[in-house]
Amino acid sequence: MRHILEIDDLNAAEVVEVLELASTKEYPKVLDRQGVALIFEKPSARTRNSMEMAVIQLGGHPIYISAEEIGLDKRESVEDVTKTLSCFHSMIGARVFKHSTVERMAKENQVPIINLLSDEAHPLQALADVLTMQQELGDLQGRSVAYIGDGNNVFRSLALASGFLGMEVRFSGPSEYFISDEDRDRLNFAGVNVTEYDKPEEAVKDADVVYTDVWTSMGQEEEKNQRHKAFEGFQVNKELMGMASEKAIFLHCLPAHRGEEVVDEVVDGSASRVWVQAENRMHAARGLLIWLIEKHLGGRETI
C-alpha cells in the first residue's frame, strides 16, 4: 500500500513518472464507478476543485466531507473514520491541520491516503509547482528556484520536489522562520541541499523562478502582527523580480495577500504563472491518482 503524505514518499524517478502522467492529454478511466473521500478540516478553493475534477476526469465520484460531518477525534476517532470511509471509497484525501492526522490514517493501511495539506507538507502543490516549471523552462536540471518568505509546509515540499529534479534551491526569510534542523536533515537525507540567504536580493540574483507564499497561513491569525513585522523587507515586488534572470517566472501557491508578500504588478505581471500553476493543481492530482492505481494497485477496477 502506497500513501503520499509528503513528496519524499516518492523517489525522484517516481516524481518524473507522475509528471509525465500529469502531462498526458488522454487519460484512462481508472476510477470508473469508484468513490474518493475528500476530508477538509481546512476549506480551500483550489484543493477542492482540483481534486474533485481530477477524480471526475478519471471516471470516479468525489465526496466532499467537512470537518463538522465527521468530527475527527471528537465525534469519532481518526482511525474509526478511516476504517469507515474505506468501506466505501478507493482512496482518501485529507486536508488537515496536524500532519499526525494523515499519519494515523495511513497506519490503518486500508486504502491509499493522500495528504491534501497538513502543517508539515503540501505535496500536491509541489507537484503542480514543478510541473509548471517544467512547462515553462523545460529540463529543470541546473535551474534555480528562490523561495522568499516562511520556511513552511509549502517550502518544504517545494524544496523536495525541485531538488529531486536537479534544481538549485535557495531560501531567504527571517532567521526565526527558516526550516528546523529536523527538516534540514530530512532534506539532506533526500539529497536536497538548501542555500540560505539573509537578504532576498541575494537569493533571487539570476534565479530562474521566484516563489513566495503568504506570511500568515490559516490557523496562524494570532501571529499576524508579529509575522508582518518580521517579514518587512521580504516582499516580492518589481524591483526584486528585476534582480532575477531575464526570463524568470513568478509562482505563488495562492491565495495571495496582495500588498503583503507580493504586489499586484508582480502577480498580474508578464512573469507571473500563478494561474497556470493553479490549473496544474488539477493535472498534478490526476497524474498522481493514475500513478497510484496503475503502478501500485495493479490498475484494478475495484480496489
Side-chain angles (χ1 to χ4, degrees):
M1 185 73 66
R2 294 291 295 267
H3 307 287
I4 307 300
L5 308 187
E6 175 56 298
I7 286 294
D8 56 3
D9 285 322
L10 303 165
N11 60 38
E14 290 169 338
V15 169
V16 172
E17 290 176 355
V18 170
L19 296 177
E20 289 174 349
L21 289 169
S23 300
T24 184
K25 302 300 181 183
E26 297 182 7
Y27 24 87
K29 302 295 184 181
V30 291
L31 284 171
D32 184 33
R33 295 169 294 172
Q34 297 181 56
V36 176
L38 302 175
I39 298 171
F40 280 75
E41 283 192 313
K42 289 184 174 184
S44 173
R46 278 154 295 279
T47 300
R48 178 177 180 177
N49 281 275
S50 62
M51 282 300 299
E52 288 193 4
M53 288 307 302
V55 172
I56 290 169
Q57 288 168 349
L58 298 179
H61 186 74
I63 300 292
Y64 177 89
I65 305 170
S66 68
E68 293 75 19
E69 291 178 87
I70 50 177
L72 292 174
D73 283 338
K74 295 178 182 176
R75 182 171 178 270
E76 198 168 7
S77 72
V78 168
E79 289 77 11
D80 285 357
V81 168
T82 303
K83 290 173 183 175
T84 298
L85 294 178
S86 299
C87 296
F88 315 123
H89 300 283
S90 297
M91 296 182 183
I92 298 173
R95 182 178 170 92
V96 299
F97 285 97
K98 295 180 179 179
H99 191 75
S100 59
T101 300
V102 288
E103 290 179 325
R104 289 166 61 190
M105 289 179 172
K107 284 181 179 178
E108 292 303 309
N109 225 36
Q110 300 285 313
V111 296
I113 305 298
I114 301 174
N115 180 9
L116 304 182
L117 175 138
S118 69
D119 58 354
E120 293 185 13
H122 203 350
L124 286 181
Q125 178 65 58
L127 289 172
D129 297 340
V130 291
L131 178 61
T132 306
M133 290 189 272
Q134 274 191 345
Q135 292 169 345
E136 296 293 328
L137 304 173
D139 184 4
L140 297 181
Q141 183 73 39
R143 296 285 194 167
S144 55
V145 54
Y147 183 99
I148 310 301
D150 185 5
N152 58 13
N153 48 1
V154 171
F155 172 68
R156 286 188 287 267
S157 296
L158 171 71
L160 284 166
S162 53
F164 276 178
L165 298 178
M167 297 190 76
E168 175 191 353
V169 183
R170 308 175 186 174
F171 174 89
S172 183
S175 58
E176 62 267 38
Y177 291 101
F178 192 56
I179 57 175
S180 66
D181 290 339
E182 181 181 355
D183 289 327
R184 192 177 295 106
D185 289 343
R186 182 170 184 169
L187 289 166
N188 289 337
F189 183 78
V192 177
N193 179 59
V194 177
T195 306
E196 304 172 57
Y197 294 88
D198 294 327
K199 297 180 180 180
E201 294 84 1
E202 297 172 343
V204 304
K205 181 176 173 54
D206 298 325
D208 296 298
V209 182
V210 178
Y211 196 124
T212 194
D213 186 14
V214 296
W215 293 339
T216 307
S217 298
M218 194 180 304
Q220 298 173 335
E221 288 79 7
E222 293 182 357
E223 304 174 23
K224 183 175 181 179
N225 292 336
Q226 172 189 337
R227 285 174 167 269
H228 277 221
K229 184 176 180 180
F231 283 98
E232 287 180 6
F234 290 92
Q235 183 186 75
V236 178
N237 50 37
K238 185 177 180 180
E239 291 72 28
L240 190 64
M241 284 298 300
M243 298 177 188
S245 168
E246 183 179 352
K247 296 183 179 180
I249 61 172
F250 171 74
L251 298 180
H252 192 305
C253 60
L254 301 179
H257 293 175
R258 293 166 180 255
E260 294 181 11
E261 77 278 358
V262 67
V263 298
D264 288 349
E265 60 184 337
V266 172
V267 175
D268 301 322
S270 60
S272 176
R273 298 295 184 274
V274 298
W275 309 118
V276 175
Q277 181 186 7
E279 179 182 332
N280 278 336
R281 288 289 304 276
M282 175 179 67
H283 303 311
R286 189 180 64 239
L288 181 63
L289 292 174
I290 296 172
W291 182 85
L292 275 171
I293 295 168
E294 290 195 337
K295 298 289 184 177
H296 294 282
L297 294 172
R300 291 174 286 174
E301 293 197 4
T302 301
I303 299 174

